[in-house]
Amino acid sequence: MLLLAGALHAADAPAWDFAQLMAQLAQVQASRARYAETRHVAMLKQPIELSGTLSYSRPGLIEKKQTRPFLETLRVDGDELTVEREGRTQSVTLRSAPLLGTLVESLRATLAGDGGELQRLFWVSMEGPKERWTLKLTPREMDVVGVVTEISISGSGPRVGRIEIQEPSGDRSVMNIKEES
């Protein structure tokens, strides 16, 4: 009886799909979170551990401030990516670096709830309920596939909690994100 009642309750629950996820993400005006990233590189005996903070503000400002193992700030504002490291600053337009632009847009379009942009750049599949969803992004462009085979972004409701990037070499990066209150 309990199984039947559970099945009936699940059948009554509203469907959760890509459009609903994008709509919820689009409602977030700004967020700030701490991250811990582990990069698994085949040539290294130990993975690389990085950490810091991530912030996002509409319409498309993303800032990643790394505090460990060294200081580095990556800032994407509109079409410009700026990297600050060891007192030096470098900038590049995403338009002039399409591969980099596609990788940046995987996160920015997700945070913005821009499903059209995600589907323009990636083959998109989604699974899981509202509380534990996962987007799988497979690049459409062969140039990008040569660098990244899949990006998996997961979270709960309008919050991203994990980003995993898989490279063709088998190397991968896993970023766990915990939003600050």
Side-chain angles (χ1 to χ4, degrees), residues 14 25 36 51 75-76 103-104 107 109 116-117 132 136 143 152 160:
L25 289 165
S51 62
R75 181 181 176 95
V76 179
L103 297 175
V104 166
L107 178 59
E117 181 68 359
R132 286 184 328 273
K136 297 217 184 268
D143 290 350
S152 177
V160 172

Side-chain angles (χ1 to χ4, degrees), residues 27-109:
Q27 296 302 310
V28 177
Q29 296 301 308
S31 62
R32 183 172 165 84
R34 297 204 59 70
Y35 75 89
E37 182 177 358
T38 304
R39 291 187 185 160
H40 302 271
V41 180
M43 293 177 56
L44 301 176
K45 290 183 182 182
Q46 297 288 341
I48 302 167
E49 302 287 339
L50 307 116
S51 62
T53 60
L54 291 170
S55 59
Y56 168 75
S57 296
R58 280 200 172 282
L61 174 66
I62 298 175
E63 188 170 75
K64 178 183 176 188
K65 288 188 174 187
Q66 181 177 297
T67 56
R68 193 187 100 200
F70 52 85
L71 297 177
E72 179 179 76
T73 300
L74 282 82
R75 181 181 176 95
V76 179
D77 192 0
D79 186 47
E80 187 171 17
L81 168 68
T82 304
V83 179
E84 296 174 29
R85 186 177 188 189
E86 298 177 358
R88 295 170 46 193
T89 301
Q90 293 182 312
S91 294
V92 64
T93 63
L94 297 177
R95 209 172 318 124
S96 69
L99 174 61
L100 183 59
T102 298
L103 297 175
V104 166
E105 283 306 316
S106 68
L107 178 59
R108 185 162 50 186

